[in-house]
Amino acid sequence: MDKLLLQQQVLERLAEDLLQAEQAVRVAHETATHEENIAENKYDTLGLEAAYLASGQARRAEAIRQAMVNWRQFRPLPYNVIKGIQIGALVCLVDSDDRQQQIFLGPDGGSMKLARGAELVQVISSQTPLGRAMLGKCEGDEVSIQVASIRQQFEVLWVQ
């Protein structure tokens, strides 16, 4: 099944992101605790700034770990025309200029593009504006979202 391959690609990308985030945590922590970065006066904030950065990177790493858990537990189901588009759907949208884009609606964030043969698939969650707008739609339905002052409209070309 194509969606299982996409799911595996998401997990691989998240694993790469986690490695980078953990490395960033280590570097920021080492900077924050290095003896040369001990504050000498109240204006010397490099160590404090690095500690804030380490904390933020640690939260990012934890969010990636949680996303990985969600993606591992995720089982994409076949498209059900009665329920319409649900999490796990692979959707092809076409805009007013006849540009097509493929969307894989996943359980968690992870806005990323993956290769599916020669085509790219955008992975989004149902929490994004486009993800929310697609839920429950069927082939032939219109999907509309407001981005700043611009209304974007798409037609659902096909769903798997």
Side-chain angles (χ1 to χ4, degrees):
M1 176 186 258
D2 215 20
K3 293 192 261 185
L4 294 177
L5 179 61
L6 289 171
Q7 179 181 15
Q8 186 59 40
Q9 287 180 308
V10 168
L11 284 166
E12 289 168 4
R13 183 79 60 84
L14 288 171
E16 292 169 10
D17 291 349
L18 181 58
L19 285 174
Q20 291 176 355
E22 288 173 338
Q23 176 64 23
V25 169
R26 282 190 294 278
V27 169
H29 181 10
E30 288 169 7
T31 301
T33 58
H34 195 275
E35 65 184 43
E36 290 181 6
N37 293 329
I38 296 173
E40 295 176 6
N41 60 51
K42 67 180 181 178
Y43 302 107
D44 191 2
T45 61
L46 182 61
L48 180 61
E49 291 167 7
Y52 284 132
L53 182 59
S55 175
Q57 292 291 1
R59 283 192 302 277
R60 179 173 172 259
E62 185 53 37
I64 294 170
R65 280 188 205 93
Q66 185 58 53
M68 289 178 77
V69 166
N70 293 341
W71 276 95
R72 280 188 192 110
Q73 294 173 349
F74 175 57
R75 298 293 174 257
L77 299 173
Y79 173 62
N80 180 334
V81 72
I82 295 170
K83 291 183 177 181
I85 295 171
Q86 299 296 311
I87 294 175
L90 179 59
V91 181
C92 183
L93 300 177
V94 61
D95 66 14
S96 59
D97 296 326
D98 284 331
R99 288 185 301 231
Q100 293 183 17
Q101 61 179 318
Q102 293 184 26
I103 309 287
F104 185 42
L105 195 58
D108 204 339
S111 180
M112 60 183 75
K113 290 192 178 186
L114 303 173
R116 179 181 180 237
E119 300 170 333
L120 291 178
V121 176
Q122 177 73 45
V123 179
I124 64 173
S125 81
S126 62
Q127 302 305 310
T128 64
L130 182 57
R132 281 193 304 271
M134 287 192 311
L135 289 174
K137 301 288 185 181
C138 297
E139 291 178 2
D141 285 352
E142 186 176 285
V143 176
S144 180
I145 59 171
Q146 186 79 28
V147 178
S149 62
I150 300 170
R151 176 153 295 296
Q152 295 182 350
Q153 295 184 326
F154 307 93
E155 179 184 343
V156 178
L157 202 55
W158 54 258
V159 184
Q160 293 180 358

